[in-house]
């Protein structure tokens, strides 16, 4: 079961996914290992799922066994951003992204703490093995018009944090394509900008290509009704492609609805290669190269012991020691 916080040397999830009736809560089987490894560009290992949740170590061990070389662990609020930065500090297969998710922003704004939260994200951005600001952006599906001004303000602040720290930007964009693009043009997109869980169509993919923005495809590209995503994939330049799980969500076919994990990434990658009529190893090599261009190498900064990380100022629950 999920713990209240990561234990030193055995990072455990700090949240539990809300279960919905009728879901199969068993983890899918291991896919055939990839010959050429690839990275999971976006995952949430802080969220436990399933009837027998895997620990973070188990998640990463399974991923390694099928050719997933490393993961970007993504925060969505202060607690999960702290946890992501702390855990990446002592886990060599993990790098971190930190941010306030657009759907969390209105709550911080209502509490009068958004500016303080953004200042802390800026501080976390300077931590070792934090390589991206994300996920940030705009979400007009879950946030109504009253919450949108705060989303814009937060998104613009995150863009500036990424630029000031020379970090990649991971964008959450739901029902706000034109507004996200306009904001990037108005504020100035960071050099390495990634549309996480790309949700646009072919026209949007061409806009991203024109601007040199990366497009990261998740398990939903395998869903039968996701014609727009496959049309976007068809026109996206190969040198701007990334792949992700967004685990524990968006489990690729044929296991849709079951708990997702980084070890399921080969299923999405193979589906992409089949659709593009290319060799999966060729595609994996291209995406792996792209990922390292965006975030750097996973061994670029040394890891520390979890006790060392805590001596630098973090407690095992992600708070201040």
């Amino acid at each position: 079961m999920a713990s209240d916080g990561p234990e030193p040397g055995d990072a455990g999830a700090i949240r539990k996914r809300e279960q919905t009736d009728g879901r199969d809560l068993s983890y899918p089987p291991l896919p055939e290992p990839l010959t050429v490894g690839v990275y999971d560009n976006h995952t949430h290992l802080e969220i436990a799922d399933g009837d027998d949740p895997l620990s973070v170590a188990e998640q990463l061990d399974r991923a390694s066994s099928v050719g997933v070389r490393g993961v970007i662990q993504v925060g969505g609020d202060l607690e999960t951003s702290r946890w992501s930065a702390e855990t990446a500090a002592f886990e060599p297969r993990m790098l971190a992204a930190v941010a306030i998710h657009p759907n969390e922003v209105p709550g911080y704004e209502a509490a009068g703490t958004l500016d303080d939260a953004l200042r802390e994200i800026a501080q976390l951005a300077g931590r070792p093995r934090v390589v991206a600001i994300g996920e940030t952006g705009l979400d007009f599906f879950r946030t109504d018009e009253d919450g949108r001004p705060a989303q814009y303000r937060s998104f613009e602040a995150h863009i500036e944090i990424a630029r000031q720290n020379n970090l990649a930007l991971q964008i959450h964009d739901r029902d706000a394509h034109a507004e996200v693009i306009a904001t990037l043009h108005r504020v100035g997109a960071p050099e390495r900008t990634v549309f996480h869980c790309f949700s646009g169509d072919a026209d949007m993919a061409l806009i991203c290509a024109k601007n040199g923005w990366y497009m990261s495809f998740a398990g939903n590209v395998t869903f039968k009704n996701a014609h727009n995503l496959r049309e976007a994939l068809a026109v996206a330049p190969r040198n701007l492609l990334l792949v992700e799980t967004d685990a524990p969500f968006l489990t690729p076919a044929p296991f849709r609805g079951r708990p997702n994990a980084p070890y399921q990434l080969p299923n999405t990658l193979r589906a992409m290669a089949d659709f593009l009529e290319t060799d999966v190893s060729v595609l994996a090599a291209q995406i792996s190269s792209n990922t390292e261009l965006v975030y750097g190498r996973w061994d670029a900064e040394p890891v520390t012991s979890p006790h060392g990380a805590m001596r630098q100022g973090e407690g095992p629950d992600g708070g201040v020691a």
Side-chain angles (χ1 to χ4, degrees):
M1 298 297 292
S3 65
D4 292 331
E7 293 297 325
D10 183 27
I14 59 174
R15 295 189 181 168
K16 178 75 173 162
R17 182 181 179 184
E18 292 184 6
Q19 307 298 355
T20 54
D21 293 339
R23 281 185 65 216
D24 182 344
L25 298 181
S26 64
Y27 277 88
L30 289 168
E32 179 183 351
L34 296 167
T35 302
V36 175
V38 75
Y39 298 96
D40 186 349
N41 168 75
H42 186 110
T43 195
H44 295 281
L45 297 185
E46 82 280 7
I47 304 174
D49 193 19
D51 51 15
D52 188 17
L54 299 174
S55 71
V56 172
E58 289 172 327
Q59 297 260 27
L60 295 173
D61 287 347
R62 288 191 180 192
S64 297
S65 75
V66 297
V68 178
R69 302 171 65 186
V71 306
I72 301 291
Q73 161 60 35
V74 181
D77 57 19
L78 287 182
E79 181 186 28
T80 57
S81 291
R82 293 170 188 146
W83 184 92
S84 298
E86 178 186 342
T87 307
F90 65 83
E91 171 49 67
R93 296 167 292 185
M94 180 187 293
L95 296 174
V98 297
I100 307 299
H101 190 289
N103 287 329
E104 300 294 331
V105 165
Y108 283 93
E109 180 80 333
T113 58
L114 180 57
D115 289 331
D116 289 339
L118 292 170
R119 279 191 286 270
E120 182 166 349
I121 293 299
Q123 292 172 349
L124 290 170
R127 291 282 299 271
R129 300 180 64 79
V130 173
V131 296
I133 299 300
E135 57 190 283
T136 181
L138 301 173
D139 188 316
F140 294 170
F141 178 77
R142 295 193 183 278
T143 297
D144 59 24
E145 291 188 10
D146 289 343
R148 292 179 187 178
Q151 278 197 357
Y152 274 108
R153 184 162 73 87
S154 176
F155 185 25
E156 293 175 12
H158 281 88
I159 293 171
E160 289 297 336
I161 293 170
R163 293 173 60 185
Q164 290 168 7
N165 290 274
N166 192 29
L167 298 180
L169 182 76
Q170 284 206 8
I171 292 175
H172 173 100
D173 163 30
R174 189 165 187 186
D175 290 359
H177 302 324
E179 293 83 0
V180 166
I181 291 167
T183 302
L184 290 173
H185 285 311
R186 182 178 69 255
V187 179
E191 181 179 354
R192 290 157 293 141
T193 293
V194 178
F195 279 78
H196 129 71
C197 191
F198 185 84
S199 59
D201 56 13
D203 289 340
M204 183 173 169
L206 292 174
I207 293 172
C208 288
K210 180 179 179 181
N211 288 277
W213 299 334
Y214 291 83
M215 290 158 272
S216 180
F217 288 85
N220 54 344
V221 74
T222 71
F223 297 173
K224 290 182 179 180
N225 62 347
H227 303 295
N228 65 308
L229 298 183
R230 289 185 287 275
E231 290 168 356
L233 176 61
V235 301
R238 302 288 173 88
N239 67 329
L240 294 176
L241 287 181
L242 300 174
V243 67
E244 66 177 84
T245 58
D246 200 18
F249 313 104
L250 299 179
T251 313
F255 306 110
R256 182 176 182 178
R258 292 169 68 174
N260 199 10
Y263 76 84
Q264 285 296 305
L265 197 67
N267 287 330
T268 299
L269 184 72
R270 288 191 170 100
M272 291 168 64
D274 286 346
F275 178 76
L276 293 173
E277 297 181 344
T278 190
D279 180 80
V280 66
S281 292
V282 171
L283 184 61
Q286 176 72 72
I287 289 178
S288 184
S289 176
N290 297 345
T291 308
E292 290 185 348
L293 285 172
V294 174
Y295 304 109
R297 294 176 57 89
W298 263 243
D299 61 358
E301 290 186 287
V303 295
T304 63
S305 74
H307 298 285
M310 286 188 286
R311 283 195 297 271
Q312 294 169 11
E314 290 285 332
D317 63 352
V320 177

